[in-house]
Amino acid sequence: MDRIRIVGGNKLNGTIPISGAKNAALPLMIASLLTDETLILDNVPRLADVAQLQRILGNHGLDIMSKGKRPGDHEYQGQTLHISAANIIDTTAPYELVSKMRASFWVIAPLLARMKEARVSLPGGCAIGTRPVDLLIMALEKLGAELQIDGGYVIAKAPGGLVGAEIDFPKVTVSGTHVALMAATLARGTTAINNAACEPEIVDVADCLNKMGAKISGAGTPRIVIEGVSKLHGARHTVLPDRIEAGTYAMAVAMTGGDVQLAGARPELLQSALDVLTEAGATITPNNEGIRVTRNGAGISPVKVTTAPFPGFPTDLQAQLMALMACAKGSSHITETIFENRFMHVQELARFGARISLDGETAIIDGIAKLRGAPVMATDLRASVSLVIAGLAAEGETMVNRIYHLDRGFERLEEKLSACGATIERISG
Ligand code: EPZ
């Protein structure tokens, strides 16, 4: 199994190209199931999760062709996928595939909307919490689907097609909003999603669906209205930049010091995180090419942060912020409100010497002057990258094990960081 070796202490200086967003690319690929025409997606990141979803979609009979960069493309433009769901040969998403990637459960929505049936394995547990799908099921039932659970599978049917409805989510859910949105595009009549997630990835998917002929308004607000249409068609869409990748590298620069341009990053997608970084002592300068992050001289100031749905501070940057605060001049509080068990990195950060205690949903981090490198491993994607950030700033050598989590969500991580002066390498085998 591959590992990443880091020798910490170098400042980061240079340019880091920001890739397409994983959490937009995945639902966009799934949306291709809604039409028998080809959906072309540009700027798709090369990630293990994308490859895994290609396998899952292939199992339903989708034809996926990938093309690399075209002449004149920026280095941060990812691959182009041509996805054709002209012939759906199987409406079952089996346990062996869904259990490897939770988001693949979302195929239930387009399959049900277009094929009027789906049999999709429940995704099971996950390192960051219980992560139920009850609200996804509720939304599909509201749209008229009949659902039952049998043998670990959700069996969904809508023989007469889905029918528009008023869907009220009791809590903000990204997965629930994606599923309701996709299903409602082909439902008869009007659907309104209330208390919808406002995440930029939802807006990106809605934009793409509108290009495919859907009639969606209000994406990016808590009330999304969808006028159902009988058919969607092919389209071409560029995946938006990954705000979590951008925020992660911004935290890395804040931690090591230096001066880095995050090329292609869009500040409005991560304003809350940029505000926290400014409070912590980094200088953030949005410009035409992206976002410039610098920290020179001044130490890191402690912060008090609570994760929240967009536009709040994202749970997907919580672990990275904790790594940064491990070296702040004082005591920081980070409260996690989205996932109940997303503190698996605390024990691993302690291996660097970080002083973190947990009080329910809140982590209290007492900053120390210097972390020391250590062998570490993590159980989820964002936790893993928080260990990389800690390793970049720590004295001496860090070995990050189990890096397949990193490969799920960070494209060419060690390449991007070493181009900015980090001593970081992948050790294969
Ligand atoms: C998405 O997960 C992201 N995944 C996550 O990114 C991200 O952390 C999360 O949104 C929050 O921003 C993708 O986009 C592929 P939710 P999702 O539905 O959609 C509860 C990463 O590292 N809930 O908004 O699964 C749930 O348990 C990942 O890239 C229910 O109770 O998140 C959680 O507490 C990890 N019932 C809260 O809602 C349901 O039916 C928010 O979950 C659904 C969710």
Side-chain angles (χ1 to χ4, degrees):
M1 215 179 275
D2 289 5
R3 292 171 295 164
I4 279 183
R5 178 177 169 272
I6 302 167
V7 181
N10 301 358
K11 289 190 169 176
L12 294 172
N13 284 294
T15 297
I16 298 183
I18 299 304
S19 299
K22 168 182 84 82
N23 288 348
L26 300 177
L28 285 166
M29 289 169 71
I30 290 173
S32 68
L33 281 162
L34 285 164
T35 174
D36 59 3
E37 294 181 20
T38 302
L39 177 65
I40 304 174
L41 296 175
D42 293 307
N43 199 30
V44 178
R46 289 177 181 76
L47 297 171
D49 270 7
V50 168
Q52 177 66 18
L53 185 56
Q54 284 182 236
R55 280 190 284 276
I56 290 164
L57 294 176
N59 191 60
H60 295 297
L62 273 63
D63 196 15
I64 306 179
M65 191 176 71
S66 75
K67 285 196 180 150
K69 290 184 196 58
R70 287 165 298 170
D73 279 355
H74 276 292
E75 58 174 321
Y76 46 82
Q77 279 168 330
Q79 57 187 333
T80 295
L81 297 183
H82 292 242
I83 311 178
S84 164
N87 297 305
I88 294 178
I89 55 168
D90 194 342
T91 53
T92 296
Y95 176 67
E96 305 76 60
L97 295 177
V98 179
S99 59
K100 288 195 180 130
M101 193 181 52
R102 295 187 58 83
S104 58
F105 181 80
W106 306 349
V107 299
I108 193 168
L111 286 174
L112 193 53
R114 182 167 149 211
M115 307 301 288
K116 303 184 172 33
E117 61 167 42
R119 186 171 164 269
V120 180
S121 168
L122 283 163
C126 153
I128 63 176
T130 48
R131 300 185 80 184
V133 289
D134 55 321
L135 299 176
L136 286 65
I137 289 176
M138 177 277 281
L140 294 172
E141 281 178 340
K142 280 267 169 180
L143 293 170
E146 291 157 25
L147 284 95
Q148 65 185 69
I149 294 172
D150 188 19
Y153 281 76
V154 178
I155 298 160
K157 291 194 178 113
L162 296 173
V163 183
E166 195 81 19
I167 299 170
D168 299 306
F169 283 117
K171 68 157 95 163
V172 177
T173 155
V174 173
S175 54
T177 306
H178 276 311
V179 158
L181 188 62
M182 283 193 247
T185 54
L186 292 180
R188 265 195 326 278
T190 305
T191 298
I193 307 173
N194 297 313
N195 200 21
C198 301
E199 267 65 7
E201 293 74 23
I202 300 279
V203 180
D204 206 39
V205 171
D207 285 349
C208 178
L209 290 170
N210 280 339
K211 287 181 197 166
M212 293 164 73
K215 291 193 175 146
I216 302 166
S217 58
T221 76
R223 182 173 161 88
I224 305 178
V225 177
I226 305 118
E227 302 285 343
V229 295
S230 58
K231 209 170 161 19
L232 293 180
H233 52 71
R236 182 162 200 153
H237 183 79
T238 301
V239 179
L240 93 169
D242 196 318
R243 63 195 167 102
I244 304 302
E245 187 195 27
T248 299
Y249 290 126
M251 305 244 174
V253 181
M255 182 112 190
T256 60
D259 185 345
V260 169
Q261 172 74 20
L262 303 171
R266 281 176 29 200
E268 72 278 13
L269 304 184
L270 69 156
Q271 196 54 54
S272 61
L274 297 179
D275 291 345
V276 168
L277 281 166
T278 305
E279 194 188 334
T283 304
I284 307 287
T285 319
N287 52 40
N288 288 341
E289 301 292 310
I291 305 172
R292 183 175 166 204
V293 184
T294 56
R295 187 175 68 79
N296 292 310
I300 300 162
S301 305
V303 295
K304 239 185 184 168
V305 168
T306 299
T307 62
F310 189 86
F313 187 91
T315 173
D316 288 348
L317 285 173
Q318 181 255 106
Q320 298 89 315
L321 179 66
M322 201 176 297
L324 174 61
M325 287 305 130
C327 285
K329 288 183 293 187
S331 185
S332 301
H333 288 63
I334 301 180
T335 303
E336 171 60 54
T337 65
I338 309 290
F339 292 111
E340 82 275 14
N341 192 25
R342 209 174 194 181
F343 279 137
M344 308 293 272
H345 41 284
V346 168
Q347 287 313 314
E348 293 302 300
L349 288 171
R351 297 175 57 78
F352 291 94
R355 294 204 191 124
I356 307 170
S357 57
L358 289 179
D359 179 8
E361 295 179 333
T362 300
I364 299 127
I365 307 114
D366 290 313
I368 57 171
K370 203 85 196 126
L371 298 178
R372 293 244 166 74
V376 288
M377 68 167 77
T379 43
D380 85 86
L381 166 61
R382 312 302 176 186
S384 299
V385 85
S386 78
L387 305 178
V388 171
I389 293 178
L392 291 172
E395 225 162 53
E397 185 181 295
T398 291
M399 192 69 81
V400 184
N401 296 294
R402 279 208 203 162
I403 60 162
Y404 58 85
H405 288 296
L406 286 172
D407 292 334
R408 286 187 39 219
F410 287 91
E411 193 180 29
R412 299 185 291 117
L413 173 97
E414 64 279 15
E415 228 177 276
K416 291 185 183 186
L417 286 169
S418 59
C420 288
T423 305
I424 178 167
E425 61 174 342
R426 179 181 291 251
I427 300 173
S428 301

